[in-house]
Amino acid sequence: MQIDHNLIAELEDLLGVDRLTVQYQRLLADLDEAIAQITTLLPQGPSAEIGQKAHKVAGGAAILGLVDLAAKLRACQDAVHAQDADSLAAHVAALTPLRAGLTGLLRQRQAAA
C-alpha cells in the first residue's frame, strides 16, 4: 500500500500518535461498512449511492495519507460516473487487499505504541 509518510508524520505532530491511530481505526470501520454496502449494491449496477459511499471513504483515506486506497475509491466513483459496471466490480474487488494494508498499518502503529 502506498502511504504518504510525510503527511502521516505531520498528522502525528498535530494530533498525536494515539489520536491518529483512532482515526485509522475509524477509517477501517468506515471502509468495512462501505465495502459491505457497495458489495450488496453492486449486482444492481453503478449507482449514485455506490459513488457516495466510495466518496466518503476516499476523502478520509486521502486525508490520512493512504494514497492507493484513496485512488482506488476515486476509481470506483469514476466507474459509477461512466456507468462501467465491469470496471466498478474490478475496483471494488481491489479494495480488499488495500483493506489488508490498512489493517497492517494499524497493527504496526499499535505495536509501536
Side-chain angles (χ1 to χ4, degrees):
M1 171 180 282
Q2 185 178 357
I3 299 169
D4 185 338
H5 293 284
N6 292 330
L7 178 57
I8 291 174
E10 289 175 20
L11 289 170
E12 284 178 351
D13 288 344
L14 181 67
L15 299 174
V17 172
D18 292 339
R19 286 182 61 201
L20 183 56
T21 298
V22 167
Q23 293 303 310
Y24 285 115
Q25 291 167 335
R26 286 182 184 158
L27 178 64
L28 180 60
D30 289 346
L31 179 61
D32 285 343
E33 181 180 337
I35 289 172
Q37 292 173 344
I38 289 170
T39 301
T40 300
L41 295 168
L42 201 55
Q44 300 168 20
S47 67
E49 190 174 357
I50 291 173
Q52 290 167 351
K53 291 180 186 320
H55 176 76
K56 176 186 173 193
V57 182
I63 288 168
L64 294 174
L66 304 178
V67 178
D68 290 347
L69 180 57
K72 189 54 66 177
L73 288 159
R74 283 192 303 272
C76 289
Q77 290 177 263
D78 292 342
V80 166
H81 290 281
Q83 291 295 299
D84 186 342
D86 292 336
S87 178
L88 177 59
H91 293 307
V92 170
L95 293 175
T96 299
L98 293 171
R99 183 207 179 274
L102 175 53
T103 301
L105 175 66
L106 267 170
R107 278 191 212 121
Q108 289 174 349
R109 295 184 66 78
Q110 291 165 341

